[in-house]
Amino acid sequence: MKIYLYKKKFYLFILIYSLIAISFALYIEHILHYKPCKLCIYQRIPYIILIFVSFVGYNYFENNKILILIVIIFLISALISGYHYGIEKNIFEEFSGCSTGTIDILNKDELLKSLSSDNNISCKNANFKILGISLAGMNFLLSLLIALYSLKTLSYEKN
């Protein structure tokens, strides 16, 4: 019975953490008016999935497949955010969907279109930082730590 209570608390933690992460990202975007790049948007997807998965896990906590799914989702989150952080630190090249691209400044229509578009946020520029670390860097570290903690929870139950 003790292990089941532990797992329920774990799923509740993941649910609350995911809700806070999404809320914080939306707060930065809509209240503080920092525009996210495409990779910033992609980093939200695992957390949205985790909200639903952890809710199911909380109600069906006896199934280890849900815990394995949480580990996989956090590893995917670490992969996306690690790639984003690598772009910010010039380790990786920006993918074409993320860069601002080249604009013909002599073409008035193209220039106006690029100025009115919100999709010109470069993934290299970390506009919002906490203690000198971008949100992509923090997401990378936290996703790895929670994935490792999830694996520990899984191995704890098997022993």
Side-chain angles (χ1 to χ4, degrees):
M1 188 65 175
K2 182 179 175 183
I3 188 69
Y4 294 129
L5 183 61
Y6 178 76
K7 278 179 73 175
K8 284 187 86 148
K9 286 181 181 178
F10 175 76
Y11 289 125
L12 186 61
F13 166 75
I14 298 298
L15 176 67
I16 291 170
Y17 174 75
S18 299
L19 286 169
I20 289 171
I22 290 293
S23 299
F24 189 64
L26 293 173
Y27 172 79
I28 292 169
E29 179 181 356
H30 295 290
I31 305 298
L32 299 180
H33 302 290
Y34 285 92
K35 296 294 179 195
C37 68
K38 287 186 181 180
L39 280 175
C40 291
I41 300 294
Y42 294 159
Q43 288 179 81
R44 297 176 189 178
I45 295 170
Y47 289 101
I48 293 169
I49 295 169
L50 280 166
I51 289 169
F52 295 107
V53 170
S54 60
F55 181 77
V56 170
Y58 184 80
N59 292 309
Y60 300 100
F61 53 88
E62 295 173 0
N63 192 342
N64 282 337
K65 292 176 184 173
I66 297 169
L67 192 54
I68 294 168
L69 184 61
I70 285 178
V71 171
I72 292 168
I73 293 169
F74 271 113
L75 289 175
I76 291 170
S77 176
L79 185 68
I80 296 168
S81 57
Y83 176 66
H84 190 187
Y85 191 67
I87 289 173
E88 290 174 359
K89 296 298 179 186
N90 293 319
I91 297 171
F92 305 119
E93 287 292 319
E94 263 183 310
F95 73 100
S96 61
C98 210
S99 64
T100 56
T102 58
I103 301 167
D104 181 11
I105 60 172
L106 298 176
N107 185 343
K108 179 182 80 169
D109 293 331
E110 189 176 331
L111 183 60
L112 286 174
K113 181 181 173 188
S114 70
L115 290 174
S116 66
S117 175
D118 285 339
N119 296 333
N120 289 337
I121 307 298
S122 175
C123 294
K124 284 185 179 182
N125 302 331
N127 296 326
F128 189 86
K129 294 182 180 183
I130 299 174
L131 301 174
I133 302 173
S134 71
L135 295 179
M138 287 185 172
N139 188 17
F140 175 68
L141 291 173
L142 290 172
S143 292
L144 275 180
L145 288 174
I146 294 174
L148 291 173
Y149 184 75
S150 301
L151 282 171
K152 180 184 173 220
T153 302
L154 187 63
S155 68
Y156 175 74
E157 181 178 321
K158 288 187 177 184
N159 294 333

PDB file of all heavy atoms in Angstrom, residues 85-114:
ATOM      1  N   TYR A  85      18.836  24.641 -26.589  1.00  0.00           N
ATOM      2  CA  TYR A  85      19.930  25.248 -25.826  1.00  0.00           C
ATOM      3  C   TYR A  85      21.235  25.184 -26.617  1.00  0.00           C
ATOM      4  O   TYR A  85      22.044  26.112 -26.578  1.00  0.00           O
ATOM      5  CB  TYR A  85      20.069  24.544 -24.467  1.00  0.00           C
ATOM      6  CG  TYR A  85      20.987  25.256 -23.519  1.00  0.00           C
ATOM      7  CD1 TYR A  85      20.656  26.500 -23.005  1.00  0.00           C
ATOM      8  CD2 TYR A  85      22.187  24.686 -23.130  1.00  0.00           C
ATOM      9  CE1 TYR A  85      21.493  27.164 -22.126  1.00  0.00           C
ATOM     10  CE2 TYR A  85      23.038  25.333 -22.245  1.00  0.00           C
ATOM     11  CZ  TYR A  85      22.684  26.569 -21.752  1.00  0.00           C
ATOM     12  OH  TYR A  85      23.520  27.223 -20.883  1.00  0.00           O
ATOM     13  N   GLY A  86      21.433  24.105 -27.345  1.00  0.00           N
ATOM     14  CA  GLY A  86      22.606  23.979 -28.199  1.00  0.00           C
ATOM     15  C   GLY A  86      22.628  25.009 -29.311  1.00  0.00           C
ATOM     16  O   GLY A  86      23.683  25.522 -29.682  1.00  0.00           O
ATOM     17  N   ILE A  87      21.463  25.336 -29.850  1.00  0.00           N
ATOM     18  CA  ILE A  87      21.365  26.398 -30.863  1.00  0.00           C
ATOM     19  C   ILE A  87      21.726  27.742 -30.233  1.00  0.00           C
ATOM     20  O   ILE A  87      22.462  28.538 -30.816  1.00  0.00           O
ATOM     21  CB  ILE A  87      19.958  26.444 -31.488  1.00  0.00           C
ATOM     22  CG1 ILE A  87      19.748  25.227 -32.387  1.00  0.00           C
ATOM     23  CG2 ILE A  87      19.747  27.723 -32.281  1.00  0.00           C
ATOM     24  CD1 ILE A  87      18.325  25.097 -32.920  1.00  0.00           C
ATOM     25  N   GLU A  88      21.212  27.988 -29.024  1.00  0.00           N
ATOM     26  CA  GLU A  88      21.513  29.246 -28.341  1.00  0.00           C
ATOM     27  C   GLU A  88      23.014  29.396 -28.074  1.00  0.00           C
ATOM     28  O   GLU A  88      23.546  30.503 -28.122  1.00  0.00           O
ATOM     29  CB  GLU A  88      20.766  29.312 -27.003  1.00  0.00           C
ATOM     30  CG  GLU A  88      19.275  29.474 -27.141  1.00  0.00           C
ATOM     31  CD  GLU A  88      18.556  29.387 -25.805  1.00  0.00           C
ATOM     32  OE1 GLU A  88      19.222  29.180 -24.761  1.00  0.00           O
ATOM     33  OE2 GLU A  88      17.329  29.510 -25.805  1.00  0.00           O
ATOM     34  N   LYS A  89      23.689  28.298 -27.792  1.00  0.00           N
ATOM     35  CA  LYS A  89      25.128  28.328 -27.487  1.00  0.00           C
ATOM     36  C   LYS A  89      25.991  28.076 -28.718  1.00  0.00           C
ATOM     37  O   LYS A  89      27.188  27.847 -28.594  1.00  0.00           O
ATOM     38  CB  LYS A  89      25.457  27.286 -26.407  1.00  0.00           C
ATOM     39  CG  LYS A  89      24.789  27.562 -25.081  1.00  0.00           C
ATOM     40  CD  LYS A  89      25.259  28.878 -24.520  1.00  0.00           C
ATOM     41  CE  LYS A  89      24.599  29.186 -23.207  1.00  0.00           C
ATOM     42  NZ  LYS A  89      24.922  30.506 -22.716  1.00  0.00           N
ATOM     43  N   ASN A  90      25.395  28.104 -29.892  1.00  0.00           N
ATOM     44  CA  ASN A  90      26.082  27.909 -31.182  1.00  0.00           C
ATOM     45  C   ASN A  90      26.761  26.547 -31.303  1.00  0.00           C
ATOM     46  O   ASN A  90      27.767  26.405 -31.982  1.00  0.00           O
ATOM     47  CB  ASN A  90      27.091  29.032 -31.449  1.00  0.00           C
ATOM     48  CG  ASN A  90      26.398  30.352 -31.669  1.00  0.00           C
ATOM     49  OD1 ASN A  90      25.371  30.417 -32.332  1.00  0.00           O
ATOM     50  ND2 ASN A  90      26.957  31.405 -31.104  1.00  0.00           N
ATOM     51  N   ILE A  91      26.213  25.546 -30.657  1.00  0.00           N
ATOM     52  CA  ILE A  91      26.705  24.179 -30.796  1.00  0.00           C
ATOM     53  C   ILE A  91      26.072  23.543 -32.041  1.00  0.00           C
ATOM     54  O   ILE A  91      26.725  22.828 -32.775  1.00  0.00           O
ATOM     55  CB  ILE A  91      26.394  23.350 -29.531  1.00  0.00           C
ATOM     56  CG1 ILE A  91      27.130  23.947 -28.332  1.00  0.00           C
ATOM     57  CG2 ILE A  91      26.748  21.887 -29.732  1.00  0.00           C
ATOM     58  CD1 ILE A  91      26.730  23.362 -27.002  1.00  0.00           C
ATOM     59  N   PHE A  92      24.789  23.830 -32.248  1.00  0.00           N
ATOM     60  CA  PHE A  92      24.050  23.322 -33.398  1.00  0.00           C
ATOM     61  C   PHE A  92      23.628  24.482 -34.281  1.00  0.00           C
ATOM     62  O   PHE A  92      23.484  25.611 -33.813  1.00  0.00           O
ATOM     63  CB  PHE A  92      22.789  22.560 -32.963  1.00  0.00           C
ATOM     64  CG  PHE A  92      23.044  21.445 -31.997  1.00  0.00           C
ATOM     65  CD1 PHE A  92      22.469  21.465 -30.740  1.00  0.00           C
ATOM     66  CD2 PHE A  92      23.846  20.375 -32.335  1.00  0.00           C
ATOM     67  CE1 PHE A  92      22.684  20.436 -29.835  1.00  0.00           C
ATOM     68  CE2 PHE A  92      24.081  19.342 -31.440  1.00  0.00           C
ATOM     69  CZ  PHE A  92      23.495  19.373 -30.185  1.00  0.00           C
ATOM     70  N   GLU A  93      23.387  24.181 -35.538  1.00  0.00           N
ATOM     71  CA  GLU A  93      22.858  25.170 -36.473  1.00  0.00           C
ATOM     72  C   GLU A  93      21.343  25.256 -36.306  1.00  0.00           C
ATOM     73  O   GLU A  93      20.688  24.258 -36.030  1.00  0.00           O
ATOM     74  CB  GLU A  93      23.184  24.766 -37.920  1.00  0.00           C
ATOM     75  CG  GLU A  93      24.633  24.953 -38.299  1.00  0.00           C
ATOM     76  CD  GLU A  93      25.035  26.415 -38.368  1.00  0.00           C
ATOM     77  OE1 GLU A  93      24.256  27.244 -38.882  1.00  0.00           O
ATOM     78  OE2 GLU A  93      26.141  26.727 -37.899  1.00  0.00           O
ATOM     79  N   GLU A  94      20.817  26.438 -36.518  1.00  0.00           N
ATOM     80  CA  GLU A  94      19.373  26.615 -36.495  1.00  0.00           C
ATOM     81  C   GLU A  94      18.749  25.862 -37.661  1.00  0.00           C
ATOM     82  O   GLU A  94      19.282  25.873 -38.759  1.00  0.00           O
ATOM     83  CB  GLU A  94      19.019  28.100 -36.667  1.00  0.00           C
ATOM     84  CG  GLU A  94      18.761  28.822 -35.402  1.00  0.00           C
ATOM     85  CD  GLU A  94      18.336  30.260 -35.652  1.00  0.00           C
ATOM     86  OE1 GLU A  94      19.008  30.955 -36.411  1.00  0.00           O
ATOM     87  OE2 GLU A  94      17.318  30.654 -35.084  1.00  0.00           O
ATOM     88  N   PHE A  95      17.615  25.215 -37.412  1.00  0.00           N
ATOM     89  CA  PHE A  95      16.927  24.603 -38.532  1.00  0.00           C
ATOM     90  C   PHE A  95      16.163  25.688 -39.273  1.00  0.00           C
ATOM     91  O   PHE A  95      15.888  26.755 -38.735  1.00  0.00           O
ATOM     92  CB  PHE A  95      16.037  23.440 -38.076  1.00  0.00           C
ATOM     93  CG  PHE A  95      14.780  23.824 -37.348  1.00  0.00           C
ATOM     94  CD1 PHE A  95      13.576  23.837 -38.015  1.00  0.00           C
ATOM     95  CD2 PHE A  95      14.803  24.145 -36.006  1.00  0.00           C
ATOM     96  CE1 PHE A  95      12.404  24.171 -37.351  1.00  0.00           C
ATOM     97  CE2 PHE A  95      13.639  24.487 -35.337  1.00  0.00           C
ATOM     98  CZ  PHE A  95      12.433  24.495 -36.013  1.00  0.00           C
ATOM     99  N   SER A  96      15.851  25.440 -40.527  1.00  0.00           N
ATOM    100  CA  SER A  96      15.319  26.491 -41.400  1.00  0.00           C
ATOM    101  C   SER A  96      14.003  27.083 -40.900  1.00  0.00           C
ATOM    102  O   SER A  96      13.723  28.248 -41.131  1.00  0.00           O
ATOM    103  CB  SER A  96      15.135  25.959 -42.819  1.00  0.00           C
ATOM    104  OG  SER A  96      14.205  24.888 -42.814  1.00  0.00           O
ATOM    105  N   GLY A  97      13.203  26.319 -40.193  1.00  0.00           N
ATOM    106  CA  GLY A  97      11.940  26.835 -39.687  1.00  0.00           C
ATOM    107  C   GLY A  97      12.101  27.766 -38.508  1.00  0.00           C
ATOM    108  O   GLY A  97      11.165  28.440 -38.103  1.00  0.00           O
ATOM    109  N   CYS A  98      13.283  27.830 -37.959  1.00  0.00           N
ATOM    110  CA  CYS A  98      13.508  28.627 -36.765  1.00  0.00           C
ATOM    111  C   CYS A  98      14.185  29.951 -37.050  1.00  0.00           C
ATOM    112  O   CYS A  98      14.039  30.897 -36.290  1.00  0.00           O
ATOM    113  CB  CYS A  98      14.363  27.825 -35.791  1.00  0.00           C
ATOM    114  SG  CYS A  98      14.037  28.213 -34.079  1.00  0.00           S
ATOM    115  N   SER A  99      14.950  30.018 -38.103  1.00  0.00           N
ATOM    116  CA  SER A  99      15.689  31.248 -38.353  1.00  0.00           C
ATOM    117  C   SER A  99      14.814  32.298 -39.017  1.00  0.00           C
ATOM    118  O   SER A  99      13.783  31.988 -39.606  1.00  0.00           O
ATOM    119  CB  SER A  99      16.911  30.964 -39.230  1.00  0.00           C
ATOM    120  OG  SER A  99      16.499  30.505 -40.488  1.00  0.00           O
ATOM    121  N   THR A 100      15.258  33.504 -38.915  1.00  0.00           N
ATOM    122  CA  THR A 100      14.504  34.600 -39.502  1.00  0.00           C
ATOM    123  C   THR A 100      14.625  34.612 -41.013  1.00  0.00           C
ATOM    124  O   THR A 100      13.797  35.184 -41.693  1.00  0.00           O
ATOM    125  CB  THR A 100      14.989  35.958 -38.951  1.00  0.00           C
ATOM    126  OG1 THR A 100      16.379  36.070 -39.187  1.00  0.00           O
ATOM    127  CG2 THR A 100      14.679  36.080 -37.486  1.00  0.00           C
ATOM    128  N   GLY A 101      15.642  33.981 -41.529  1.00  0.00           N
ATOM    129  CA  GLY A 101      15.810  33.910 -42.977  1.00  0.00           C
ATOM    130  C   GLY A 101      16.265  35.237 -43.552  1.00  0.00           C
ATOM    131  O   GLY A 101      16.511  36.206 -42.847  1.00  0.00           O
ATOM    132  N   THR A 102      16.393  35.267 -44.869  1.00  0.00           N
ATOM    133  CA  THR A 102      16.806  36.498 -45.536  1.00  0.00           C
ATOM    134  C   THR A 102      15.582  37.178 -46.123  1.00  0.00           C
ATOM    135  O   THR A 102      14.673  36.529 -46.624  1.00  0.00           O
ATOM    136  CB  THR A 102      17.818  36.195 -46.650  1.00  0.00           C
ATOM    137  OG1 THR A 102      17.224  35.283 -47.571  1.00  0.00           O
ATOM    138  CG2 THR A 102      19.079  35.598 -46.064  1.00  0.00           C
ATOM    139  N   ILE A 103      15.584  38.476 -46.052  1.00  0.00           N
ATOM    140  CA  ILE A 103      14.464  39.274 -46.534  1.00  0.00           C
ATOM    141  C   ILE A 103      14.993  40.264 -47.559  1.00  0.00           C
ATOM    142  O   ILE A 103      16.009  40.917 -47.331  1.00  0.00           O
ATOM    143  CB  ILE A 103      13.789  40.035 -45.362  1.00  0.00           C
ATOM    144  CG1 ILE A 103      13.298  39.054 -44.310  1.00  0.00           C
ATOM    145  CG2 ILE A 103      12.654  40.902 -45.862  1.00  0.00           C
ATOM    146  CD1 ILE A 103      12.917  39.709 -43.003  1.00  0.00           C
ATOM    147  N   ASP A 104      14.303  40.347 -48.656  1.00  0.00           N
ATOM    148  CA  ASP A 104      14.657  41.329 -49.687  1.00  0.00           C
ATOM    149  C   ASP A 104      14.096  42.674 -49.241  1.00  0.00           C
ATOM    150  O   ASP A 104      12.894  42.937 -49.348  1.00  0.00           O
ATOM    151  CB  ASP A 104      14.061  40.903 -51.035  1.00  0.00           C
ATOM    152  CG  ASP A 104      14.428  41.870 -52.150  1.00  0.00           C
ATOM    153  OD1 ASP A 104      15.306  42.733 -51.928  1.00  0.00           O
ATOM    154  OD2 ASP A 104      13.837  41.755 -53.236  1.00  0.00           O
ATOM    155  N   ILE A 105      14.966  43.543 -48.713  1.00  0.00           N
ATOM    156  CA  ILE A 105      14.501  44.819 -48.164  1.00  0.00           C
ATOM    157  C   ILE A 105      14.081  45.794 -49.257  1.00  0.00           C
ATOM    158  O   ILE A 105      13.453  46.804 -48.975  1.00  0.00           O
ATOM    159  CB  ILE A 105      15.561  45.457 -47.238  1.00  0.00           C
ATOM    160  CG1 ILE A 105      16.858  45.719 -47.985  1.00  0.00           C
ATOM    161  CG2 ILE A 105      15.773  44.607 -46.016  1.00  0.00           C
ATOM    162  CD1 ILE A 105      17.859  46.507 -47.187  1.00  0.00           C
ATOM    163  N   LEU A 106      14.409  45.498 -50.490  1.00  0.00           N
ATOM    164  CA  LEU A 106      13.983  46.361 -51.585  1.00  0.00           C
ATOM    165  C   LEU A 106      12.560  46.054 -52.034  1.00  0.00           C
ATOM    166  O   LEU A 106      11.921  46.892 -52.665  1.00  0.00           O
ATOM    167  CB  LEU A 106      14.948  46.235 -52.770  1.00  0.00           C
ATOM    168  CG  LEU A 106      16.395  46.658 -52.467  1.00  0.00           C
ATOM    169  CD1 LEU A 106      17.278  46.407 -53.685  1.00  0.00           C
ATOM    170  CD2 LEU A 106      16.456  48.114 -52.060  1.00  0.00           C
ATOM    171  N   ASN A 107      12.059  44.880 -51.672  1.00  0.00           N
ATOM    172  CA  ASN A 107      10.693  44.496 -52.006  1.00  0.00           C
ATOM    173  C   ASN A 107       9.779  44.935 -50.864  1.00  0.00           C
ATOM    174  O   ASN A 107       9.794  44.382 -49.773  1.00  0.00           O
ATOM    175  CB  ASN A 107      10.620  42.985 -52.225  1.00  0.00           C
ATOM    176  CG  ASN A 107       9.246  42.534 -52.686  1.00  0.00           C
ATOM    177  OD1 ASN A 107       8.269  43.252 -52.561  1.00  0.00           O
ATOM    178  ND2 ASN A 107       9.203  41.323 -53.220  1.00  0.00           N
ATOM    179  N   LYS A 108       8.966  45.949 -51.110  1.00  0.00           N
ATOM    180  CA  LYS A 108       8.126  46.555 -50.082  1.00  0.00           C
ATOM    181  C   LYS A 108       7.141  45.547 -49.498  1.00  0.00           C
ATOM    182  O   LYS A 108       6.963  45.487 -48.275  1.00  0.00           O
ATOM    183  CB  LYS A 108       7.375  47.746 -50.670  1.00  0.00           C
ATOM    184  CG  LYS A 108       6.443  48.429 -49.682  1.00  0.00           C
ATOM    185  CD  LYS A 108       5.701  49.560 -50.316  1.00  0.00           C
ATOM    186  CE  LYS A 108       4.547  48.983 -51.102  1.00  0.00           C
ATOM    187  NZ  LYS A 108       3.582  49.936 -51.565  1.00  0.00           N
ATOM    188  N   ASP A 109       6.518  44.730 -50.321  1.00  0.00           N
ATOM    189  CA  ASP A 109       5.521  43.776 -49.837  1.00  0.00           C
ATOM    190  C   ASP A 109       6.152  42.721 -48.915  1.00  0.00           C
ATOM    191  O   ASP A 109       5.590  42.381 -47.871  1.00  0.00           O
ATOM    192  CB  ASP A 109       4.825  43.086 -51.016  1.00  0.00           C
ATOM    193  CG  ASP A 109       3.966  44.059 -51.818  1.00  0.00           C
ATOM    194  OD1 ASP A 109       3.463  45.033 -51.209  1.00  0.00           O
ATOM    195  OD2 ASP A 109       3.801  43.828 -53.033  1.00  0.00           O
ATOM    196  N   GLU A 110       7.318  42.222 -49.313  1.00  0.00           N
ATOM    197  CA  GLU A 110       8.003  41.209 -48.501  1.00  0.00           C
ATOM    198  C   GLU A 110       8.465  41.804 -47.175  1.00  0.00           C
ATOM    199  O   GLU A 110       8.377  41.169 -46.135  1.00  0.00           O
ATOM    200  CB  GLU A 110       9.192  40.635 -49.276  1.00  0.00           C
ATOM    201  CG  GLU A 110       9.824  39.445 -48.601  1.00  0.00           C
ATOM    202  CD  GLU A 110      10.933  38.824 -49.431  1.00  0.00           C
ATOM    203  OE1 GLU A 110      10.895  38.894 -50.659  1.00  0.00           O
ATOM    204  OE2 GLU A 110      11.856  38.276 -48.798  1.00  0.00           O
ATOM    205  N   LEU A 111       8.947  43.031 -47.198  1.00  0.00           N
ATOM    206  CA  LEU A 111       9.392  43.693 -45.977  1.00  0.00           C
ATOM    207  C   LEU A 111       8.224  43.930 -45.026  1.00  0.00           C
ATOM    208  O   LEU A 111       8.319  43.662 -43.825  1.00  0.00           O
ATOM    209  CB  LEU A 111      10.084  45.018 -46.318  1.00  0.00           C
ATOM    210  CG  LEU A 111      10.667  45.798 -45.149  1.00  0.00           C
ATOM    211  CD1 LEU A 111      11.727  44.966 -44.437  1.00  0.00           C
ATOM    212  CD2 LEU A 111      11.264  47.097 -45.633  1.00  0.00           C
ATOM    213  N   LEU A 112       7.094  44.399 -45.530  1.00  0.00           N
ATOM    214  CA  LEU A 112       5.916  44.619 -44.689  1.00  0.00           C
ATOM    215  C   LEU A 112       5.391  43.308 -44.117  1.00  0.00           C
ATOM    216  O   LEU A 112       4.981  43.248 -42.957  1.00  0.00           O
ATOM    217  CB  LEU A 112       4.825  45.337 -45.483  1.00  0.00           C
ATOM    218  CG  LEU A 112       5.070  46.818 -45.758  1.00  0.00           C
ATOM    219  CD1 LEU A 112       3.992  47.374 -46.690  1.00  0.00           C
ATOM    220  CD2 LEU A 112       5.100  47.600 -44.465  1.00  0.00           C
ATOM    221  N   LYS A 113       5.411  42.279 -44.936  1.00  0.00           N
ATOM    222  CA  LYS A 113       4.942  40.972 -44.479  1.00  0.00           C
ATOM    223  C   LYS A 113       5.831  40.449 -43.355  1.00  0.00           C
ATOM    224  O   LYS A 113       5.341  39.911 -42.363  1.00  0.00           O
ATOM    225  CB  LYS A 113       4.926  39.986 -45.649  1.00  0.00           C
ATOM    226  CG  LYS A 113       4.426  38.619 -45.287  1.00  0.00           C
ATOM    227  CD  LYS A 113       4.462  37.695 -46.494  1.00  0.00           C
ATOM    228  CE  LYS A 113       4.115  36.292 -46.092  1.00  0.00           C
ATOM    229  NZ  LYS A 113       4.317  35.353 -47.182  1.00  0.00           N
ATOM    230  N   SER A 114       7.137  40.609 -43.484  1.00  0.00           N
ATOM    231  CA  SER A 114       8.048  40.114 -42.453  1.00  0.00           C
ATOM    232  C   SER A 114       7.938  40.917 -41.162  1.00  0.00           C
ATOM    233  O   SER A 114       8.090  40.379 -40.072  1.00  0.00           O
ATOM    234  CB  SER A 114       9.481  40.125 -42.950  1.00  0.00           C
ATOM    235  OG  SER A 114       9.949  41.444 -43.067  1.00  0.00           O
TER     236      SER A 114
END
